[in-house]
Amino acid sequence: RTWGSRGMEAAAGSCRAPLPAWWGLLLAVLAAGSCQGNSVERKIYIPLNKTAPCVRLLNATHQIGCQSSISGDTGVIHVVEKEEDLNWVLADGPHPPYMILLDGNLFNRRVMLQLKGTSRVSGLAVAIAQPSPPQGFSPGLKCPNDGFGVYSKDYGPQFAHCNKTVWNPVGSGLSYEDFDFPIFLLEDANETQVIKQCYQDHNVPRDGSGPEYPLCAMQLFSHMHAVTSTVTCMRRSSLQSTFSINPEVVCDPLLDYNVWSTLHPINSSGKVDPEKEVIIVATRIDSHSFFWNIAPGAESAVSSFVTHLAAAEALHKVSDVHLLQRNIMFTFFQGETFDYIGSSRMVYDMEKDKFPLRLDNIYSFVELNQVALRNDSILWMHTDPVSRMNETVEAQVRNLLDILSNSSIGARVTLQEAGYSQPLPPSSFQRFLRARHIPGVVLTDHRTAFQNRYYQSMYDTPENIRMQYPEGLSPEETLEYVTDTAKSLAEVATVVARALYRLAGGANNTSAIQADPKTVTRMLYGFLIKMNNSWFQSIIKPDIKGILGDVPQHYVAVSSPVNTTYLVQYVLANLTGTVVNLTKEECLNPEKTPSSEKEMYEYAWVQGSLDANSTSRVPYCVRSTVHLSKALSPAFELRQWGSTEYSTWTESRWKEIRARIFLVASKELEIITLVVGIAILVFSLLATYFINAKADVLFSIPRDPGAVAY
């Protein structure tokens, strides 16, 4: 506005002739409009601020997800709480297209395919079901990551495409459909109620006939820039980058970082000696759901990586850990939901000598999969029946199974073998088996199909793994309260830690190796309920404290590292690292300190806890063996965007994501208003023109009759 007034002054001063009167009137109208536009918009529209969109993802051959038109999609709201309500939308309603407010219990494949096949629907807003649908809800595939694991027509064809075991029987595949209208999740029950009230006031059919105008409408904006497939969008982005000064990228690869550390420090920029043996312990740290960045992943991811972290802490506390003949690598893979991005990249780097370890260094592989929903405290051990046909591998796998079983003696967890003829469930271990026959085991709470009825869905929440807290606890008390789930996962971590100690060559009694339930309960609270808590605040660097949002989500995304990666990195450093007596300057620049062994360790200057007598923190320096390695599919390194060997998932870019409701008038009234407005505008312009043309007559100053002219 300041620029506008100065511009007007400059223009007035530079013109010899005075501006016509109509020009000044037009400027005054525009100035008034710019001042009042925002307030008028607020009076017309009610924005919906707590929503999550369905966005477009692409792979080598397909596009999936949702999008709106470039200017957003609008429709009259109709609330659908039972299947019979769909008749109004699909056939009877006189005011299509409709924006449907859909009850979460009806958000299923059958209903969605009905809506997908009609032009009478312009969009969808989904209300979260409370409680979670009892029959289960998984928009993922029945055979997750099919085609990118180890089983194929060349390796165990009888197990390929989940022929032997359907791992996710409730999977509807809804997340892998392509919808040409926007779909949003309503996260706030209050906003859902506002929409329902607007519908009740204006849109409810009266006596079987359609409601009268004005009607309550909704507008959803989620236009996606990428189309067709990763091959198409990456080619377009590449051409833009090559020939355009201001390239417009239309999609980005899903990428992040894997987190890894070792029990004994190794040179992260060098190579481990070929004769050195390393045990890999692995888990995934990402999840997914139908809606963008809504990925609580309580059972599918968090339960396993929290158990993994607790086992790492328990092992690092063992007094003779430095005497173990084999090293242990704790590995946390990102992007595993999308065709094993993290694990395939690590295998690729090992094969290309871009990682400190080689595949030949791997002695055995232990993976923690979904472990929180055990029946009768049984944990199932899954192995690969194809590689076990080799006598050497069979002997090593049998030894691994025996050690794991013996480690559970006396614990409240029982380990049982899933069966020799049972294939591996979807797991990172499969990507390693594609490269080399490695003895390994995958630990899960299910023998065949998943116990998790909410796999890759918004309902895979703390409630799904039975996390419960007493009423009335403060946030700090909740953080410290040891739940039954935490105790249960600590038992699993204890068994795993004891088994790893034996596998690494430990000979002493393992009864002292014990995972801490208090650590587990803190992690569950931080990764599932509230990231912005006092413990997480104390263990991260001051310059990244902005990552601590309220509600944790574990989607891999395209900007990295994501919150989950950072937090797993610093939690692992806190649990396994050492506090060293270095100043801030020395900690931030360890290469200047001769004894720092920078190539062996990572150093982090963390915030520390609040001083008891003030609001300031007591920071300190942590030395650990925790490192990050790239979790970007090799397909993008090789520019093989149509690869069937590696993941090719990308995420479309977009300009804006928003939703709002408002009252809409009838078409007839809109046309009348437009015509009247145009008529008034034309009349005003004509009137202004004639007034300006006769200004010397209309606004002339009469002569003073008493004046004398000489």
Side-chain angles (χ1 to χ4, degrees):
R1 292 168 187 155
T2 304
W3 180 91
S5 61
R6 288 178 180 172
M8 288 166 63
E9 290 166 8
S14 63
C15 294
R16 294 186 178 181
L19 291 170
W22 64 268
W23 177 252
L25 178 62
L26 180 59
L27 287 177
V29 170
L30 291 175
S34 66
C35 294
Q36 299 298 323
N38 288 337
S39 61
V40 171
E41 182 175 354
R42 285 196 297 269
K43 291 177 181 177
I44 296 174
Y45 299 104
I46 299 176
L48 304 173
N49 298 316
K50 290 285 289 180
T51 61
C54 159
V55 303
R56 175 168 289 165
L57 299 173
L58 309 99
N59 65 10
T61 55
H62 292 82
Q63 65 179 30
I64 63 171
C66 324
Q67 77 154 355
S68 72
S69 62
I70 195 167
S71 57
D73 287 331
T74 305
V76 174
I77 295 172
H78 191 75
V79 175
V80 175
E81 295 179 327
K82 53 187 184 297
E83 287 205 42
E84 292 75 18
D85 296 336
L86 288 171
N87 294 331
W88 185 265
V89 173
L90 298 176
D92 301 337
H95 304 118
Y98 285 96
M99 277 282 177
I100 298 175
L101 174 56
L102 187 68
D103 184 272
N105 288 298
L106 293 176
F107 185 54
N108 56 54
R109 185 177 182 86
R110 184 181 69 259
V111 170
M112 291 304 296
L113 291 185
Q114 286 185 64
L115 302 180
K116 184 179 178 180
T118 177
S119 61
R120 292 174 58 88
V121 174
S122 60
L124 202 66
V126 180
I128 296 178
Q130 295 288 352
S132 301
Q135 72 277 12
F137 174 75
S138 173
L141 298 171
K142 292 184 183 296
C143 189
N145 292 356
D146 186 23
F148 290 87
V150 68
Y151 302 114
S152 65
K153 61 183 177 62
D154 301 317
Y155 187 99
Q158 68 273 31
F159 305 126
H161 312 300
C162 297
N163 287 334
K164 177 78 174 180
T165 305
V166 177
W167 296 105
N168 186 29
V170 298
S172 65
L174 200 58
S175 288
Y176 296 84
E177 290 288 334
D178 182 40
F179 296 93
D180 59 359
F181 52 78
I183 303 175
F184 278 52
L185 176 69
L186 300 173
E187 299 181 73
D188 187 347
N190 292 327
E191 289 188 344
T192 303
Q193 191 55 44
V194 168
I195 299 171
K196 287 184 176 180
Q197 190 60 52
C198 188
Y199 167 79
Q200 291 290 339
D201 293 342
H202 299 279
N203 294 10
V204 174
R206 309 293 179 187
D207 302 322
S209 61
E212 296 181 359
Y213 286 98
L215 299 174
C216 191
M218 183 185 296
Q219 190 172 31
L220 302 178
F221 297 84
S222 63
H223 181 67
M224 300 288 130
H225 294 174
V227 294
T228 308
S229 67
T230 289
V231 176
T232 301
C233 79
M234 289 299 292
R235 184 177 64 245
R236 289 177 179 175
S237 297
S238 179
L239 288 171
Q240 285 270 348
S241 300
T242 303
F243 298 108
S244 176
I245 298 174
N246 297 309
E248 183 179 340
V249 177
V250 296
C251 68
D252 300 283
L254 296 181
L255 67 104
D256 204 80
Y257 287 89
N258 298 322
V259 182
W260 63 276
S261 75
T262 51
L263 196 60
H264 303 151
I266 62 173
N267 188 339
S268 60
S269 58
K271 291 289 179 290
V272 173
D273 292 339
E275 67 274 8
K276 294 285 186 181
E277 295 179 327
V278 179
I279 301 159
I280 291 185
V281 195
T283 191
R284 68 175 59 188
I285 58 175
D286 69 298
S287 187
H288 180 44
S289 81
F290 185 87
F291 298 99
W292 183 77
N293 207 30
I294 300 294
E299 161 73 340
S300 61
V302 177
S303 68
S304 56
F305 75 69
V306 161
T307 304
H308 188 171
L309 288 164
E313 180 193 33
L315 268 175
H316 273 267
K317 290 179 178 178
V318 178
S319 58
D320 65 336
V321 71
H322 59 285
L323 301 176
L324 296 177
Q325 65 187 71
R326 297 185 186 94
N327 206 346
I328 299 174
M329 187 170 92
F330 306 99
T331 313
F332 301 82
F333 292 120
Q334 261 288 17
E336 295 301 275
T337 303
F338 295 95
D339 300 337
Y340 306 117
I341 293 173
S343 55
S344 63
R345 179 53 186 260
M346 184 170 283
V347 171
Y348 174 82
D349 287 344
M350 288 180 176
E351 290 177 322
K352 301 297 181 183
D353 281 342
K354 296 180 179 180
F355 195 79
L357 266 66
R358 300 175 180 87
L359 290 169
D360 291 340
N361 292 118
I362 301 175
Y363 174 74
S364 58
F365 197 105
V366 177
E367 180 171 352
L368 286 162
N369 212 306
Q370 304 178 79
V371 294
L373 298 176
R374 302 188 305 282
N375 283 335
D376 301 322
S377 297
I378 296 175
L379 207 59
W380 296 97
M381 300 182 290
H382 299 262
T383 58
D384 173 41
V386 180
S387 60
R388 289 181 68 177
M389 294 178 185
N390 179 293
E391 291 184 3
T392 304
V393 174
E394 167 62 20
Q396 292 172 314
V397 170
R398 178 49 54 193
N399 177 59
L400 176 57
L401 294 172
D402 290 343
I403 289 175
L404 281 164
S405 297
N406 293 335
S407 298
S408 68
I409 296 174
R412 279 179 263 179
V413 179
T414 304
L415 271 73
Q416 293 185 18
E417 190 175 352
Y420 186 86
S421 61
Q422 178 79 12
L424 287 169
S427 52
S428 306
F429 180 41
Q430 293 200 31
R431 291 301 304 193
F432 284 80
L433 278 176
R434 282 176 74 129
R436 184 174 176 269
H437 281 180
I438 297 169
V441 64
V442 178
L443 302 178
T444 73
D445 56 20
H446 55 89
R447 183 175 187 176
T448 52
F450 295 162
Q451 296 277 13
N452 186 5
R453 294 173 300 147
Y454 305 109
Y455 183 74
Q456 290 185 7
S457 91
M458 56 193 170
Y459 301 113
D460 192 7
T461 58
E463 292 75 20
N464 187 34
I465 58 172
R466 303 160 191 159
M467 281 177 63
Q468 295 179 335
Y469 295 92
E471 296 281 344
L473 294 184
S474 67
E476 200 63 27
E477 291 170 335
T478 310
L479 172 67
E480 301 294 339
Y481 181 82
V482 180
T483 62
D484 290 339
T485 302
K487 294 174 185 175
S488 173
L489 293 179
E491 287 282 343
V492 177
T494 297
V495 171
V496 171
R498 290 174 180 177
L500 292 173
Y501 175 79
R502 289 284 185 225
L503 281 169
N508 292 337
N509 191 295
T510 60
S511 59
I513 300 176
Q514 189 73 42
D516 186 358
K518 193 169 184 179
T519 300
V520 175
T521 208
R522 283 178 164 188
M523 289 190 287
L524 288 174
Y525 179 80
F527 284 113
L528 286 174
I529 296 176
K530 188 176 182 182
M531 279 187 169
N532 194 12
N533 61 74
S534 60
W535 185 48
F536 278 5
Q537 290 168 7
S538 70
I539 64 174
I540 64 171
K541 291 181 177 180
D543 57 337
I544 62 167
K545 60 185 178 182
I547 68 170
L548 296 177
D550 275 337
V551 181
Q553 304 295 347
H554 307 293
Y555 174 61
V556 59
V558 296
S559 57
S560 58
V562 295
N563 301 10
T564 305
T565 303
Y566 269 131
L567 289 171
V568 168
Q569 177 189 6
Y570 286 105
V571 169
L572 184 59
N574 177 268
L575 298 180
T576 63
T578 306
V579 177
V580 290
N581 188 22
L582 294 178
T583 65
K584 181 178 180 180
E585 181 66 26
E586 291 170 334
C587 190
L588 296 176
N589 302 282
E591 64 278 357
K592 296 180 181 179
T593 305
S595 60
S596 66
E597 298 182 282
K598 178 68 174 71
E599 67 280 359
M600 308 292 283
Y601 296 100
E602 293 287 331
Y603 291 80
W605 184 257
V606 300
Q607 291 194 120
S609 302
L610 287 170
D611 190 336
N613 299 319
S614 70
T615 57
S616 61
R617 295 186 176 274
V618 184
Y620 56 91
C621 186
V622 175
R623 184 186 73 184
S624 71
T625 62
V626 180
H627 307 278
L628 299 180
S629 66
K630 192 177 289 187
L632 170 66
S633 171
F636 298 100
E637 293 278 316
L638 301 169
R639 295 177 67 85
Q640 296 176 358
W641 304 319
S643 172
T644 56
E645 169 73 11
Y646 299 112
S647 171
T648 56
W649 285 105
T650 54
E651 181 186 274
S652 174
R653 288 195 177 186
W654 58 81
K655 185 177 180 180
E656 63 175 344
I657 298 286
R658 60 191 175 101
R660 59 190 185 181
I661 63 172
F662 56 96
L663 293 181
V664 62
S666 67
K667 293 293 182 184
E668 293 79 4
L669 181 58
E670 287 179 347
I671 292 171
I672 292 171
T673 304
L674 177 63
V675 170
V676 171
I678 292 173
I680 292 173
L681 175 63
V682 171
F683 175 78
S684 301
L685 291 174
L686 290 172
T688 304
Y689 172 78
F690 284 114
I691 290 171
N692 184 58
K694 302 294 183 180
D696 56 338
V697 176
L698 295 173
F699 304 112
S700 62
I701 302 173
R703 289 188 176 186
D704 186 352
V708 179
Y710 294 94

